[in-house]
Amino acid sequence: DAKTTQPTSMDCAEGRAANLPCNHSTISGNEYVYWYRQIHSQGPQYIIHGLKNNETNEMASLIITEDRKSSTLILPHATLRDTAVYYCIGTSGGYQKVTFGIGTKLQVIP
Amino acid sequence: NAGVMQNPRHLVRRRGQEARLRCSPMKGHSHVYWYRQLPEEGLKFMVYLQKENIIDESGMPKERFSAEFPKEGPSILRIQQVVRGDSAAYFCASLKGQGLQDTQYFGPGTRLTVL
């Protein structure tokens, strides 16, 4: 799995877009970038994943740089319920041991 | 998280007792991961299982910990002779086992407290 680097914490005003960066400079060609989040005391929740194209779903957008060394998760209109720890991981799929770092603690402020 | 079940949600044990944590994967999923999370820390990989087979147990402590995923029934994480340091949240995740783009879906976790 690729090693990823994320800021420890971020704040975002409610209603604004939250942009969470992730560096994954060692990511290999067949590794996907996955994002999960963990709301306090709950099990992690899948958000989105991508390989090299930008992706969007009902929860978020994922922007991956052309060189694939970094990506940004975008929550377009953050709400208080988006307050959570967000994890970025690089993995080539289900048969790989996945390592979760400490993630980014996003605090959405009213 | 819908579909992956873990029980019990909370488990209290005294030092020296055994703890058994159960994980029922989503329907159609034949692979399970177990993770441990200490307070204010990230998830640490423990073991990755396929039905009746351990794929990777490199994250499991060498002693007292074991895991299984039988052909029928839930996956079991077993901790023998628990110590205070075993107190943590234990999460399982299931996936279909299709390889690339195989997303993990997590259960709600079991919070183990060792007195």
Side-chain angles (χ1 to χ4, degrees), chain B residues 82-94:
Chain B
V82 296
V83 301
R84 288 224 173 102
D86 296 332
S87 294
Y90 292 84
F91 293 97
C92 79
S94 77

Side-chain angles (χ1 to χ4, degrees), chain A residues 25-59:
Chain A
S25 57
T26 61
I27 198 167
S28 62
N30 66 342
E31 286 186 312
Y32 286 77
V33 179
Y34 274 78
W35 284 83
Y36 290 84
R37 73 179 181 185
Q38 187 174 25
I39 297 171
H40 182 63
S41 298
Q42 298 180 22
Q45 176 189 23
Y46 165 78
I47 301 173
I48 199 168
H49 75 281
L51 184 63
K52 50 186 174 183
N53 296 322
N54 298 338
E55 303 287 345
T56 296
N57 63 19
E58 64 279 3
M59 289 183 68

Side-chain angles (χ1 to χ4, degrees), chain B residues 34-36 44-47 57-60 65 77 90:
Chain B
W34 282 95
Y35 295 88
R36 176 164 63 176
K44 304 290 186 189
F45 166 83
M46 299 183 75
V47 62
E57 58 181 345
S58 58
M60 290 275 273
F65 285 72
L77 179 67
Y90 292 84

Side-chain angles (χ1 to χ4, degrees), chain A residues 6-21:
Chain A
Q6 300 176 253
T8 306
S9 63
M10 291 181 65
D11 291 340
C12 178
E14 188 179 16
R16 303 297 292 270
N19 298 298
L20 292 89

Side-chain angles (χ1 to χ4, degrees), chain B residues 41-97:
Chain B
E41 294 188 13
L43 289 87
K44 304 290 186 189
F45 166 83
M46 299 183 75
V47 62
Y48 174 43
L49 307 117
Q50 187 181 9
K51 278 192 182 287
E52 300 184 281
N53 196 15
I54 298 174
I55 306 294
D56 184 344
E57 58 181 345
S58 58
M60 290 275 273
K62 292 288 185 282
E63 298 177 346
R64 302 187 298 108
F65 285 72
S66 62
E68 62 176 6
F69 189 14
K71 187 177 180 181
E72 301 292 336
S75 175
I76 308 283
L77 179 67
R78 183 182 177 205
I79 311 172
Q80 296 178 289
Q81 299 175 310
V82 296
V83 301
R84 288 224 173 102
D86 296 332
S87 294
Y90 292 84
F91 293 97
C92 79
S94 77
L95 59 164
K96 284 185 181 178

